[in-house]
Amino acid sequence: MDTRRTHGTGPDLASMARLLADGTRAGFCLALLDGRAWTATELARHVGVAPSTATEHLHALVGGNLLAEERQGRHRYVRLAGPHVAELIESLAAMAPQRAPAPRTLSAAGRRQALAHARTCYDHLAGAVGVAITDAMIERGLVDLEHGLRLTAEGTTWLGDLGITVPTGTRRPSVRSCLDWTERRPHLAGAVGAALCRHAFDTDWITRIGTTRAVAVTPTGRQALRHHLGLPDDILAPK
Amino acid sequence: MDTRRTHGTGPDLASMARLLADGTRAGFCLALLDGRAWTATELARHVGVAPSTATEHLHALVGGNLLAEERQGRHRYVRLAGPHVAELIESLAAMAPQRAPAPRTLSAAGRRQALAHARTCYDHLAGAVGVAITDAMIERGLVDLEHGLRLTAEGTTWLGDLGITVPTGTRRPSVRSCLDWTERRPHLAGAVGAALCRHAFDTDWITRIGTTRAVAVTPTGRQALRHHLGLPDDILAPK
DNA sequence: CGGTCGCTTCGGCGGCGGCCGAAGTGTCGT
DNA sequence: ACGACACTTCGGCCGCCGCCGAAGCGACCG
């Protein structure tokens, strides 16, 4: 190997970046941003490569500790190795140029619109709805961004009223700002963002649209979000 | 271009990652992490490529908005395009494997040791000293990490006593955690981290060692850090 | 006003790496 | 036990991209 040029010391930045520098591997990671585990062939079909090609890419990604794998019978499930990977991909995506939209078909345009409206971003909510929730929480003093985003005392009790206890003492920051790549505005992530999203699924405020990252706000959810955060219905309606 | 495979929508993650996926470009970025502006030939010499090669790489990095350039006479100065780029590179470096240390020469080993001890990381302090300062600030209640890292009221007045006013209302988080790649532990970054580092240079607590990222704590600095943060001398001594 | 220096452009070379298809291994159903 | 299926390995092809040296351009210096 050419060790002459890669002089001396420091982290091997390039080898890590190279893992994301391929369209196919990047497509895998973007898909896995939904926080769920995918099988190898699902990913292969999703980006349109042969299964053998997918295997090689997954080897690289798992070997680089970007993905975690779990074998079940004849299936190989992979998911992002952790929140830190999701955050890395998000910050990379936030400063990447948007790709040519080119939604040729009607269904593709609709799919894109559904994603822009409300979707999961790893383990929390994003899209217009995610941003609106965050804005409302700031406006009501549940979080503030005076010195970086943080949860206020009011926010803690507000979450408690919903039955969400704030995890404390963990290494993961309880609240973190995540830059949305459709809205280009920050929204609530971190442990609290994840807990809130989980709660929204559990209490049927939102449901997944098919098997995609897109979610829909249910009538129950509309009422709850109006009641708890004063969100107007027109933001929550899917069109 | 092959637009068949790069289906549809979303950010072009791969094109952004590709900018950092080359050893030479990564070397440029790691060098620029010192926060200063370098000329094209300085960078070329630093990583050991021909000037013409450096030109091409710089074109790519500037075009991708990772670097900002400034022309002065026959010189082309480049620097990181902003804190967000530094943060991206840091988070990438934090999860990248350490490269084979292989410090063949004595001077290389010494250089590495100096970097591990105290250095600038874009615009704030890192290394053992940077981590120690952060730890002491946490211990003294100047910052807390209850719900993410944040500055306390005591911290604000402490900074005020040093003559540092906390920038407020800016988009940049005033305090942020940055993961050190030698210590593998978080240390103080963000606007406050930058202001503190600047203050340390201005009041001669620290000085640069030659033209590298490494810094040395002066006798003045040792006394000040003992007085203000209770840091013991043995942490601050360079060996 | 010539010489030097920093940077740029261009052509050509070489290697790395992503792609596939064919063949092999293990697991699950029937 | 047998086929179907998910995944893996291997060989070979091809295109991209990073590298350099030669030559050109503009800025600075005597």
Side-chain angles (χ1 to χ4, degrees):
Chain A
M1 180 175 294
D2 185 1
T3 179
R4 170 182 56 92
R5 181 173 313 288
T6 64
H7 55 99
T9 183
D12 193 356
L13 195 57
S15 75
M16 181 60 46
R18 182 152 47 239
L19 292 177
L20 298 171
D22 173 78
T24 299
R25 284 194 296 269
F28 286 2
C29 292
L30 252 22
L32 290 164
L33 259 192
D34 69 355
R36 293 179 298 173
W38 294 50
T39 69
T41 29
E42 279 173 346
L43 287 171
R45 286 184 55 85
H46 183 255
V47 305
V49 294
S52 56
T53 305
T55 292
E56 295 170 357
H57 287 307
L58 290 180
H59 258 130
L61 290 168
V62 170
N65 293 317
L66 288 181
L67 302 188
E69 77 177 29
E70 202 170 333
R71 308 263 176 169
Q72 280 184 21
R74 53 182 168 182
H75 295 283
R76 176 200 215 179
Y77 286 99
V78 292
R79 52 182 168 75
L80 296 189
H84 56 290
V85 177
E87 291 162 18
L88 172 65
I89 294 172
E90 284 291 332
S91 54
L92 212 42
M95 55 192 319
Q98 291 296 319
R99 196 150 32 198
R104 294 296 169 88
T105 69
L106 259 179
S107 68
R111 217 178 311 137
R112 179 174 176 75
Q113 198 171 44
L115 274 176
H117 176 249
R119 68 175 180 280
T120 52
C121 168
Y122 189 56
D123 58 5
H124 57 272
L125 283 174
V129 169
V131 170
I133 289 178
T134 306
D135 286 348
M137 289 183 70
I138 292 173
E139 197 173 328
R140 302 206 149 200
L142 305 178
V143 293
D144 79 38
L145 30 66
E146 186 66 26
H147 298 301
L149 206 58
R150 72 172 243 274
L151 194 64
T152 64
E154 293 87 343
T156 307
T157 62
W158 182 84
L159 287 169
D161 291 347
L162 290 175
I164 302 174
T165 56
V166 180
T168 178
T170 72
R171 269 186 42 82
R172 184 177 186 194
S174 59
V175 40
R176 206 181 56 81
S177 173
C178 175
L179 191 57
D180 192 287
W181 53 262
T182 50
E183 298 283 317
R184 296 265 161 169
R185 296 191 43 213
H187 59 272
L188 192 67
V192 168
L196 190 58
C197 177
R198 184 179 189 78
H199 181 264
F201 274 118
D202 290 347
T203 60
D204 204 40
W205 290 2
I206 55 178
T207 55
R208 275 199 198 281
I209 300 177
T211 60
T212 68
R213 296 174 57 187
V215 299
V217 181
T218 66
T220 315
R222 256 195 287 282
Q223 191 193 337
L225 289 171
R226 181 167 6 95
H227 174 244
H228 289 295
L229 289 172
L231 288 184
D233 271 8
D234 57 353
I235 291 183
L236 303 175
K239 168 64 183 20
Chain B
M1 183 175 294
D2 184 1
T3 179
R4 169 182 56 91
R5 182 173 312 289
T6 64
H7 54 101
T9 180
D12 193 356
L13 196 57
S15 74
M16 183 59 49
R18 183 151 47 240
L19 292 177
L20 299 171
D22 172 78
T24 299
R25 284 193 296 270
F28 286 2
C29 291
L30 287 173
L32 290 165
L33 260 192
D34 69 354
R36 295 178 296 172
W38 295 49
T39 69
T41 29
E42 278 173 346
L43 287 171
R45 287 184 54 85
H46 182 255
V47 304
V49 294
S52 57
T53 305
T55 293
E56 294 170 358
H57 287 308
L58 291 179
H59 257 131
L61 290 168
V62 171
N65 291 319
L66 288 182
L67 302 188
E69 76 175 31
E70 203 171 332
R71 308 263 176 168
Q72 279 184 22
R74 54 182 167 181
H75 295 283
R76 175 199 214 180
Y77 285 98
V78 293
R79 51 183 167 75
L80 295 188
H84 56 292
V85 177
E87 290 163 20
L88 172 65
I89 293 172
E90 283 291 330
S91 54
L92 212 43
M95 54 192 321
Q98 291 298 318
R99 194 147 37 191
R104 295 296 168 86
T105 69
L106 259 179
S107 68
R111 216 178 310 135
R112 178 174 177 76
Q113 198 172 42
L115 274 176
H117 177 249
R119 67 174 180 280
T120 51
C121 168
Y122 189 56
D123 58 7
H124 58 272
L125 283 176
V129 169
V131 170
I133 288 177
T134 306
D135 286 347
M137 289 182 71
I138 292 173
E139 197 173 329
R140 304 209 148 199
L142 305 178
V143 294
D144 78 41
L145 29 67
E146 188 66 25
H147 298 303
L149 206 60
R150 73 173 243 274
L151 194 64
T152 64
E154 293 87 344
T156 307
T157 60
W158 182 84
L159 287 169
D161 290 347
L162 290 175
I164 302 173
T165 57
V166 181
T168 178
T170 71
R171 268 185 42 81
R172 184 178 187 193
S174 59
V175 41
R176 204 180 58 79
S177 174
C178 175
L179 191 57
D180 192 287
W181 51 263
T182 49
E183 298 283 318
R184 296 265 162 171
R185 297 191 43 213
H187 59 271
L188 190 68
V192 168
L196 190 58
C197 177
R198 185 180 188 77
H199 180 264
F201 274 118
D202 290 347
T203 59
D204 203 39
W205 291 1
I206 55 179
T207 54
R208 274 198 199 282
I209 300 178
T211 59
T212 68
R213 296 174 58 188
V215 299
V217 181
T218 65
T220 315
R222 257 196 287 281
Q223 190 193 337
L225 288 172
R226 179 165 10 94
H227 175 244
H228 290 295
L229 289 172
L231 288 185
D233 272 8
D234 57 354
I235 292 184
L236 303 175
K239 169 57 179 31

